[in-house]
Amino acid sequence: MRKTIVAAGLIAATLAGPASAQIQTLPETSRSQGQANSINENLANQGQNRGIVQQNQFEINSLRTTPGMGAPPPPVVSGPGVVGPAPVRR
């Protein structure tokens, strides 16, 4: 009988260990800490977006300066009364 009680106690202690560990939770964050976390997350997202936009702009500019890609160069326009170079005919 005594062995049965000791065994039951050991089983109960073993099963109670994980259950008591699950009860312990992290303390809730305060409102100000939550706002600070939100602001930091927004700033990080804005930084990532800015990096993506800069990379896209860099690639667009690279394509524009590559011969045969992008738009042709703008025509040379002179003001009134100014004699400029003759237009290039293609």
Side-chain angles (χ1 to χ4, degrees):
M1 174 103 167
R2 183 180 247 191
K3 289 182 181 181
T4 307
I5 294 173
V6 171
L10 287 175
I11 292 173
T14 304
L15 294 177
S20 65
Q22 291 176 358
I23 293 172
Q24 296 174 353
T25 59
L26 295 175
E28 294 184 21
T29 57
S30 65
R31 182 183 300 167
S32 61
Q33 185 62 42
Q35 287 175 342
N37 291 343
S38 177
I39 290 169
N40 287 336
E41 185 176 336
N42 288 338
L43 287 173
N45 288 338
Q46 287 176 1
Q48 289 176 349
N49 290 340
R50 187 179 309 115
I52 291 169
V53 168
Q54 287 176 345
Q55 181 65 31
N56 287 341
Q57 191 63 48
F58 175 80
E59 291 174 3
I60 289 169
N61 290 340
S62 295
L63 289 173
R64 286 182 181 160
T65 58
T66 303
M69 302 293 285
V76 177
V77 178
S78 58
V82 177
V83 177
V88 177
R89 295 184 185 213
R90 294 183 186 208

